[in-house]
Amino acid sequence: MPELLFKTGEGETRIFAAPDETLLAAARKANVAIDAPCSGNGVCGKCRVCILSGETKAPAPKHLTKEEFDQGWRLACETTALTDCVIDVPDIASAYRRRMKTADLSSGEELELFRSVGASLAEAGLGVDSGVSVVAVAMDEPVAGDGLPDNERLARAVQDALGTEDEPEVPFFCLKKLPGLMRESGFSLKAVVEEKGGRAKLLDVLAPDDGTPPAGLAVDIGTTTVAAVLCDLTTGEILAKASSGNGQIRYGADVINRIVEQGRPGGVARLQDAVVRETLVPVIEAICAESGVPASHIYKVSLAGNTTMEHLLLGVPAEYLRTEPYVPAFFAAAPLDPAEIGVRLAPGCVMTLAPNIGSYVGGDITSGALASMIWDSDGPDMLIDLGTNGEIVFGGREFLMSCACSAGPAFEGGDISCGMRATDGAIEKASIDRETMEPAFGVIGDTAPVGVCGSGIIDVIAGLFEAGIINGKGRFVRDGRRVVRDEFGAGYVLAFGDESGTGRRLVLNETDIDSFIRAKGAVFSAIMTLISSLGFTASDLNRISVAGGIGSGINVANAIKIGMLPDLPLDRYRYIGNSSLTGMWAHLTSRPAAEKLGEISSSMTYIELSTEPGYMDAFVAACFLPHTDGSLFPSVTGGAK
Amino acid sequence: MPELLFKTGEGETRIFAAPDETLLAAARKANVAIDAPCSGNGVCGKCRVCILSGETKAPAPKHLTKEEFDQGWRLACETTALTDCVIDVPDIASAYRRRMKTADLSSGEELELFRSVGASLAEAGLGVDSGVSVVAVAMDEPVAGDGLPDNERLARAVQDALGTEDEPEVPFFCLKKLPGLMRESGFSLKAVVEEKGGRAKLLDVLAPDDGTPPAGLAVDIGTTTVAAVLCDLTTGEILAKASSGNGQIRYGADVINRIVEQGRPGGVARLQDAVVRETLVPVIEAICAESGVPASHIYKVSLAGNTTMEHLLLGVPAEYLRTEPYVPAFFAAAPLDPAEIGVRLAPGCVMTLAPNIGSYVGGDITSGALASMIWDSDGPDMLIDLGTNGEIVFGGREFLMSCACSAGPAFEGGDISCGMRATDGAIEKASIDRETMEPAFGVIGDTAPVGVCGSGIIDVIAGLFEAGIINGKGRFVRDGRRVVRDEFGAGYVLAFGDESGTGRRLVLNETDIDSFIRAKGAVFSAIMTLISSLGFTASDLNRISVAGGIGSGINVANAIKIGMLPDLPLDRYRYIGNSSLTGMWAHLTSRPAAEKLGEISSSMTYIELSTEPGYMDAFVAACFLPHTDGSLFPSVTGGAK
């Protein structure tokens, strides 16, 4: 058996490869992270590694230039070792693992989204009101004749302090520390309590000088990115934020590949481990380090993900989500202690999952709908969440309907040869000079570009189209220094080797543009199908909230130019960021908001697009820049057909 | 550092002894079990080991004959090694560890006690009614158009089957197995549910052919012995029983020594580990093996112990129980998941502890009071629990009062040189021929005797007194083959070396008899103090239930002869076995009985004997055979003073 030595930015790992085992399969076994959005089907070309020594067997290169192939580059998913090999795993391939980010909240940009949602909710009567408070209690010291046990002494003092009807129960983990704590503190201490329906629940007891705020964690488990904020449950204040790529990515970029992998032997545990131990736990560690709040002070968790992500997170078999009749194990899971899935926070911590409403419209969307305020509007309004999938909510106070469109992972940089997620090195804004055809970029982290994320791709395609470099079909119709034609067809050079952060040329080619046009077509046709199903037209839309992790916000004007969003005045649009996360923050910090989430999810109807008459025609018609029916985009076409 | 090699019946263990470290201390570190009822204070003489090779340092022998000392016998607690040593740990010293007993329920003796309590409770309207049932549910298979999630499908079916108002919540651990189970079973399965206040709680989901009964565990955590029964929650039927010595014994025979040890660094965890991991977990393993019911099918636990035992079990600091003003951390602890203390049963299993009512009258007594039916009697009745401590409950339907007397561990064989617990090899019944002075024994397990347990000691002392071998002060006043006088004073040879199971002579000496007279005096004076505090006399007592682990029952006539129990007609007495355990069985299997336990504990008053006027005088007067006031025992003395 050939021995493989993987070299990554994190160190070296050796493993013996089984006969005919691909480098990707061996790497997974050895816990060496290699990005594989297509789950190793040889489709996406993202799992490229460089063979430094040794003999390998691989098919003719499809995603690699001849030059790259000659340099030793291979796709790990279709390469097997014939002899011992030394394999370099480039940073970009395993970067999702180290892309742990804690947000610099001082900039205020991140915070503004939460503040704005908080203000809107408060105006609607759903302001910060978690029911959690910290009460200082002073008790009489026991003396002969007053032998009240410690737990009853505390319970009585808390009841007195709160004026509740009953004494709270003192749970086991508080009981354990109570005798020592009471006597060290001279029978004065702080009780962390949660009021609920007139009753108080004791969450913790703390020393009187313990100033740590009682914390709650809001989490969004995205297919691509896991993000969390820690907040003070008494004030709602955000204490820290962190995010990371979802460790499940090496089992596929989209939910279908993940479900397939979960169905294999040991898959349920493997997928759960990837998102919990490899992703969520480090995110929480980062957030605790950043905020100085220990995990043992996190008393509540509100978490949202799409239906598949919530299943995989809990380790609940998800395979019946992708086979007829597409039945999930749950829409709303009973609250649980996160320790049950291996996340150790405060003992007795309660984790609530946002309810799903369909197999492909999940808790992230109900949570996002809460944050978007669509439920409080005269409407009709719309929420468009552009993540690995696209989901759309349409309606207002009177009705709410939703659908999912299989946009594919293009908005997260998947399916695009030079695509990447919105992290350091990603081109997130772009413009192209009509004359010189030269680009200008905004790159996350202000570094040389290593790839392009969703918002950047929209800008680039809009720029190429406006400059007449590509036509409505996405074909290159102009030549220049940056237009190249090679074995992958024509493409636009975003960065030459000496301009890029990797030393490799970054090219957006016709195949990439095709993928993206299909993705934007899926979104636009879904929007139109939803609107017209109730007899509305696009111009009836009052306010459109765009959410999702496609950068620090998309350029809506450009999105309209390429026919992705309806051609409406720009002031009807607003970018609301990760609305699943802000919704969970609201759920965590406001009991009335949590109740509202329940109402939203039980009233929202789900439209299955694939069975909706006319959807397929609408989709095909939308796979053009901006649209085969130019009259839908008068601001772009001047009204011409 | 000298290296010690301990040889036990279980194998060999090596450890280096720290300077001046006793053999007992080193053995504890090495996890070699040596019995040390006095917790290593050189008082009880139970930790004897034999030095096979090597030099040791030890004080002049106090509990050993010169012959034994010369043979190499030492007390581990007061001996240090000067060189490497090989040390034989005799079976009897570590026997408590291997005394795991599963009861042969076919004999019916054990079962009869439960049946009798069950019948009495049923008569009083507190029959078997745990609220737990197994319902078979058949669901419609999901089809297109019926995409109800698995958890809602199940919840609806269970609600239909039970006719409850609400659908039950499907907890996390059921959710995890639900998708697979439903589809493997063709959407038919068994639901284990608990009804409580009109609502159903889902405890488990099982395959339709799973015939395992839903089980509950009743546990008595005695200072000396831990006993448990497993029962079918739907019928109350006892499925298996097991018991074991409490692994905490090596830290002292009585609660005070255990509390002292718990207060030392790491003591809380050490004492908890000894009773949980070393004792309770193996007891449960034995009971599961015996019954064929896996631990994952145990859904409820009802557990009783004295106040200290309940604290130590939970790992809750107990030191304030022995320092003024003697305040426990709890009387009634909130129910908890046994997994929180390291006992893994069904996920979501709920363990309820019997409520304590005082620092020295614990849940074992409130549980025993429930089983004794004293609360249902016109009374006044009495419950006398003779364990490591003696506790007494006095009263009936109108009132219940209780007290504890520090009888010491004599009833469990402690404080007695040849004493042992009621397990194999223990003399549990005895008579002594008045003429020949020769003894006749009943020995547990029908083996040669290795020691004498509480019920046997009562018989022996009664026999010695009746035969005129000892006088009222417990001094030897007759000579014969079996009366010896050596460095420990006079004594009666229960078994010569060739008659005993150890090859060593078994002697009950005057010091032992003194200890026992003080113990029985403490019990009798407590009984009388309690009775007379309300102006009653002993003859008012209607029914006296004697409980406790002092053998398969004591000979009440003999106990009266030595002045331990009031001189009343024998038919007023009955032996009710381990009433703490039967009480917990009732608590587990009957919701009304559980409610009754709450009433009992909140209505029972606690008398602190040490502050009760007259108690010390009564105690001193009772330290005589049968009593300094002979008129209290007319059947023994013929009424003479």
Side-chain angles (χ1 to χ4, degrees):
Chain A
M1 285 200 295
E3 190 188 30
L4 310 181
L5 169 60
F6 289 104
K7 300 178 106 167
T8 72
E10 291 173 340
E12 300 189 346
T13 308
R14 285 171 196 278
I15 190 170
F16 287 100
D20 293 326
E21 190 172 48
T22 65
L23 301 184
L24 181 64
R28 283 177 175 173
K29 272 192 203 162
N31 213 19
V32 169
I34 296 179
D35 204 359
C38 74
S39 199
N41 294 319
V43 174
C44 71
K46 291 293 170 69
C47 63
R48 55 175 71 195
V49 295
C50 191
I51 312 301
L52 302 180
S53 73
E55 295 297 313
T56 59
K57 190 177 69 180
K62 215 163 47 189
H63 295 270
L64 299 165
T65 63
K66 195 175 167 312
E67 189 191 347
E68 286 169 337
F69 193 83
D70 291 345
Q71 284 168 356
W73 290 96
R74 298 289 181 277
L75 296 193
C77 73
E78 49 185 28
T79 305
T80 53
L82 300 174
T83 67
D84 291 356
C85 287
V86 177
I87 300 151
D88 188 52
V89 180
D91 263 20
I92 188 136
S94 62
Y96 73 86
R97 256 192 131 177
R98 286 175 290 110
R99 272 185 211 143
M100 178 70 56
K101 263 182 46 174
T102 56
D104 180 8
L105 294 170
S106 62
S107 80
E109 228 178 285
E110 290 266 356
L111 283 180
E112 199 40 56
L113 289 168
F114 287 92
R115 279 208 199 100
S116 153
V117 168
S120 304
L121 286 167
E123 211 170 297
L126 314 183
V128 168
D129 169 20
S130 70
V132 174
S133 60
V134 180
V135 288
V137 286
M139 294 157 279
D140 291 333
E141 266 192 55
V143 291
D146 166 20
L148 203 65
D150 295 345
N151 66 345
E152 295 179 35
R153 190 173 300 271
L154 173 69
R156 208 167 277 189
V158 172
Q159 185 192 17
D160 285 351
L162 295 176
T164 47
E165 225 168 274
D166 304 302
E167 290 178 7
E169 194 175 77
V170 177
F172 173 62
F173 56 89
C174 291
L175 188 61
K176 279 190 78 155
K177 52 181 175 175
L178 203 51
L181 197 57
M182 275 182 157
R183 285 161 185 85
E184 279 156 27
S185 70
F187 291 86
S188 285
L189 44 75
K190 282 182 177 171
V192 183
V193 290
E194 180 180 13
E195 285 178 85
K196 219 172 180 177
R199 301 180 72 100
K201 182 181 165 193
L202 191 66
L203 300 182
D204 207 351
V205 285
L206 304 173
D209 57 352
D210 190 330
T212 321
L217 191 74
V219 183
D220 169 52
I221 302 284
T223 308
T224 303
T225 304
V226 170
V229 290
L230 192 77
C231 62
D232 181 334
L233 287 170
T234 60
T235 61
E237 189 199 346
I238 305 248
L239 304 171
K241 185 186 172 197
S243 63
S244 164
N246 185 333
Q248 292 177 338
I249 283 173
R250 68 174 181 279
Y251 302 113
D254 60 32
V255 297
I256 296 300
N257 276 311
R258 310 259 180 104
I259 296 174
V260 169
E261 181 67 24
Q262 201 213 24
R264 295 190 175 126
V268 172
R270 209 155 49 237
L271 273 283
Q272 187 182 30
D273 191 65
V275 67
V276 174
R277 194 183 52 77
E278 283 183 34
T279 310
L280 184 55
V281 169
V283 161
I284 295 172
E285 282 166 3
I287 226 168
C288 288
E290 173 88 2
S291 63
V293 174
S296 58
H297 282 60
I298 301 177
Y299 301 106
K300 300 185 79 177
V301 178
S302 295
L303 181 146
N306 63 47
T307 312
T308 302
M309 285 304 112
E310 291 193 0
H311 279 64
L312 301 185
L313 178 85
L314 296 186
V316 171
E319 53 209 274
Y320 310 107
L321 278 171
R322 64 175 276 271
T323 51
E324 280 212 69
Y326 312 108
V327 174
F330 62 91
F331 283 151
L336 65 153
D337 184 335
E340 293 188 70
I341 59 164
V343 178
R344 301 205 173 269
L345 305 175
C349 178
V350 173
M351 180 166 88
T352 309
L353 273 66
N356 307 296
I357 68 145
S359 291
Y360 293 100
V361 172
D364 52 346
I365 301 307
T366 55
S367 177
L370 171 66
S372 74
M373 304 298 293
I374 190 171
W375 49 270
D376 193 38
S377 137
D378 293 332
D381 282 7
M382 184 167 272
L383 165 66
I384 304 174
D385 190 333
L386 297 171
T388 306
N389 255 10
E391 290 102 347
I392 298 160
V393 181
F394 173 56
R397 205 174 288 119
E398 302 297 324
F399 70 93
L400 286 172
M401 54 198 293
S402 64
C403 71
C405 59
S406 40
F411 299 123
E412 303 261 13
D415 269 9
I416 305 290
S417 62
C418 57
M420 65 180 286
R421 287 174 287 283
T423 51
D424 280 355
I427 297 170
E428 61 168 348
K429 288 179 196 309
S431 61
I432 291 171
D433 190 285
R434 292 187 189 210
E435 296 305 313
T436 64
M437 297 169 59
E438 286 299 304
F441 297 135
V443 178
I444 299 178
D446 284 327
T447 64
V450 297
V452 56
C453 69
S455 60
I457 297 171
I458 291 171
D459 287 357
V460 170
I461 294 180
L464 293 173
F465 182 55
E466 254 193 323
I469 302 168
I470 57 173
N471 65 12
K473 290 180 175 169
R475 295 286 163 264
F476 280 82
V477 290
R478 215 178 134 185
D479 280 311
R481 185 174 90 98
R482 291 201 175 253
V483 176
V484 292
R485 292 169 202 275
D486 58 18
E487 57 254 66
F488 303 117
Y492 179 80
V493 180
L494 295 164
F496 290 103
D498 57 355
E499 295 169 334
S500 85
T502 60
R504 290 202 297 127
R505 205 168 68 174
L506 286 183
V507 177
L508 191 76
N509 61 42
E510 287 181 345
T511 312
D512 299 329
I513 295 170
D514 267 357
S515 293
F516 197 83
I517 288 178
R518 276 199 310 278
K520 76 94 191 169
V523 170
F524 184 76
S525 51
I527 292 170
M528 297 310 284
T529 303
L530 211 49
I531 292 173
S532 57
S533 72
L534 291 186
F536 289 96
T537 64
S539 58
D540 293 323
L541 285 175
N542 193 33
R543 189 175 56 172
I544 302 165
S545 302
V546 180
I550 62 169
S552 65
I554 65 172
N555 183 320
V556 171
N558 281 341
I560 292 171
K561 272 177 203 154
I562 63 170
M564 175 172 160
L565 298 176
D567 193 358
L568 295 171
L570 293 185
D571 61 7
R572 298 207 197 166
Y573 285 94
R574 56 173 191 153
Y575 179 68
I576 60 168
N578 185 340
S579 59
S580 167
L581 188 62
T582 37
M584 284 296 95
W585 167 78
H587 179 272
L588 191 64
T589 55
S590 165
R591 287 174 293 180
E595 204 172 307
K596 178 58 70 182
L597 179 64
E599 288 170 25
I600 290 170
S601 62
S602 56
S603 68
M604 195 185 287
T605 54
Y606 170 65
I607 306 292
E608 174 55 47
L609 282 184
S610 61
T611 61
E612 200 65 14
Y615 174 69
M616 272 315 292
D617 293 341
F619 169 67
V620 172
C623 287
F624 195 83
L625 298 176
H627 196 277
T628 51
D629 178 0
S631 69
L632 288 169
F633 290 86
S635 79
V636 184
T637 62
K641 261 218 154 193
Chain B
M1 284 200 293
E3 191 189 28
L4 310 181
L5 169 60
F6 290 102
K7 300 180 106 168
T8 71
E10 292 173 340
E12 301 187 346
T13 308
R14 287 169 197 278
I15 190 171
F16 287 100
D20 294 325
E21 190 172 47
T22 65
L23 301 185
L24 181 64
R28 282 177 176 174
K29 273 192 202 162
N31 214 18
V32 170
I34 296 179
D35 204 0
C38 76
S39 197
N41 294 319
V43 174
C44 71
K46 291 291 169 69
C47 63
R48 53 175 71 196
V49 295
C50 192
I51 313 299
L52 301 180
S53 73
E55 297 296 313
T56 59
K57 191 176 68 178
K62 215 163 48 187
H63 294 271
L64 300 164
T65 63
K66 194 174 171 312
E67 191 191 347
E68 286 170 335
F69 193 83
D70 291 345
Q71 284 167 357
W73 289 96
R74 298 287 183 278
L75 297 192
C77 72
E78 49 185 29
T79 304
T80 52
L82 300 174
T83 66
D84 290 356
C85 287
V86 177
I87 301 151
D88 188 52
V89 180
D91 262 20
I92 186 133
S94 62
Y96 73 86
R97 256 193 132 177
R98 284 173 293 111
R99 272 183 210 144
M100 177 69 55
K101 265 181 44 172
T102 55
D104 178 9
L105 293 170
S106 62
S107 80
E109 228 179 285
E110 291 266 357
L111 283 180
E112 198 41 56
L113 290 167
F114 286 92
R115 278 207 199 99
S116 154
V117 168
S120 304
L121 286 168
E123 212 169 298
L126 314 183
V128 167
D129 169 20
S130 69
V132 174
S133 60
V134 179
V135 287
V137 286
M139 293 157 281
D140 290 334
E141 265 192 56
V143 291
D146 166 20
L148 204 63
D150 295 345
N151 65 345
E152 293 179 35
R153 190 174 300 269
L154 173 68
R156 209 167 275 189
V158 171
Q159 185 192 17
D160 285 351
L162 295 176
T164 47
E165 225 168 274
D166 304 302
E167 289 178 7
E169 192 175 78
V170 177
F172 173 62
F173 55 91
C174 291
L175 187 61
K176 278 190 78 153
K177 51 182 174 173
L178 203 52
L181 198 57
M182 274 182 159
R183 285 161 185 86
E184 280 156 26
S185 70
F187 291 85
S188 285
L189 43 76
K190 283 183 175 170
V192 183
V193 290
E194 180 180 13
E195 284 179 85
K196 221 173 177 176
R199 302 180 70 101
K201 181 182 164 192
L202 190 66
L203 302 181
D204 209 351
V205 285
L206 305 173
D209 57 352
D210 190 330
T212 320
L217 191 74
V219 183
D220 170 52
I221 302 285
T223 309
T224 303
T225 305
V226 170
V229 290
L230 192 77
C231 61
D232 182 333
L233 287 170
T234 60
T235 62
E237 189 199 347
I238 307 253
L239 303 171
K241 186 186 170 196
S243 63
S244 163
N246 184 333
Q248 292 177 338
I249 282 173
R250 68 174 182 279
Y251 302 113
D254 59 34
V255 296
I256 296 300
N257 276 310
R258 310 258 179 105
I259 296 174
V260 169
E261 181 68 24
Q262 201 214 23
R264 295 189 176 128
V268 171
R270 209 154 50 237
L271 272 285
Q272 187 182 30
D273 190 66
V275 67
V276 174
R277 195 183 52 80
E278 285 184 33
T279 311
L280 184 55
V281 169
V283 161
I284 295 171
E285 281 167 2
I287 226 167
C288 287
E290 174 88 3
S291 63
V293 174
S296 59
H297 281 60
I298 302 178
Y299 301 106
K300 299 185 78 176
V301 178
S302 295
L303 180 147
N306 63 48
T307 312
T308 303
M309 285 304 112
E310 291 193 359
H311 278 66
L312 300 185
L313 178 86
L314 295 188
V316 172
E319 53 207 276
Y320 309 107
L321 278 172
R322 65 174 276 271
T323 51
E324 280 211 67
Y326 310 109
V327 174
F330 63 90
F331 283 150
L336 65 153
D337 184 334
E340 293 189 70
I341 60 164
V343 178
R344 301 204 175 269
L345 305 175
C349 178
V350 174
M351 179 165 89
T352 310
L353 273 66
N356 307 296
I357 67 146
S359 290
Y360 293 100
V361 171
D364 52 346
I365 301 307
T366 55
S367 178
L370 171 66
S372 74
M373 303 299 292
I374 189 171
W375 49 271
D376 193 39
S377 139
D378 293 332
D381 282 7
M382 184 167 272
L383 165 65
I384 305 174
D385 190 332
L386 297 170
T388 305
N389 254 11
E391 290 103 347
I392 298 161
V393 181
F394 173 57
R397 203 173 291 118
E398 303 296 323
F399 70 93
L400 286 172
M401 55 198 292
S402 64
C403 71
C405 58
S406 39
F411 299 124
E412 302 261 13
D415 270 8
I416 306 289
S417 63
C418 57
M420 66 181 285
R421 286 173 286 283
T423 49
D424 280 356
I427 297 170
E428 61 167 349
K429 289 179 197 307
S431 61
I432 292 171
D433 189 286
R434 292 189 188 210
E435 296 304 312
T436 64
M437 297 171 57
E438 285 298 305
F441 296 134
V443 177
I444 299 178
D446 285 328
T447 63
V450 298
V452 57
C453 69
S455 60
I457 297 170
I458 292 171
D459 287 358
V460 170
I461 294 179
L464 293 173
F465 182 55
E466 252 193 323
I469 301 169
I470 58 173
N471 65 12
K473 290 180 174 167
R475 295 284 162 266
F476 279 83
V477 290
R478 220 180 130 184
D479 279 311
R481 184 173 90 96
R482 290 202 175 251
V483 176
V484 292
R485 290 168 203 276
D486 58 19
E487 56 255 66
F488 301 117
Y492 178 80
V493 180
L494 295 164
F496 291 103
D498 57 355
E499 296 169 334
S500 85
T502 61
R504 292 199 297 126
R505 206 169 67 176
L506 286 183
V507 178
L508 191 76
N509 62 41
E510 286 181 345
T511 311
D512 298 331
I513 295 171
D514 268 358
S515 293
F516 197 83
I517 288 177
R518 276 199 309 278
K520 76 95 190 170
V523 170
F524 185 76
S525 51
I527 292 170
M528 298 308 284
T529 303
L530 212 48
I531 293 173
S532 57
S533 72
L534 291 186
F536 288 96
T537 64
S539 58
D540 293 323
L541 286 173
N542 193 33
R543 188 174 59 171
I544 302 166
S545 302
V546 181
I550 62 170
S552 66
I554 65 172
N555 183 320
V556 172
N558 281 341
I560 292 172
K561 271 178 203 153
I562 63 169
M564 177 171 157
L565 298 177
D567 193 358
L568 296 171
L570 294 183
D571 60 8
R572 298 206 199 167
Y573 285 94
R574 57 174 191 152
Y575 179 69
I576 62 168
N578 185 342
S579 58
S580 166
L581 188 61
T582 37
M584 283 297 93
W585 167 76
H587 179 271
L588 192 63
T589 55
S590 165
R591 286 174 293 180
E595 203 172 308
K596 178 57 71 180
L597 179 65
E599 288 170 24
I600 290 171
S601 63
S602 56
S603 68
M604 195 185 288
T605 55
Y606 170 65
I607 306 292
E608 174 54 46
L609 281 184
S610 61
T611 62
E612 199 66 13
Y615 174 68
M616 272 316 292
D617 293 342
F619 169 66
V620 172
C623 287
F624 196 83
L625 300 176
H627 195 277
T628 50
D629 179 0
S631 69
L632 289 169
F633 289 87
S635 80
V636 185
T637 60
K641 264 219 146 184

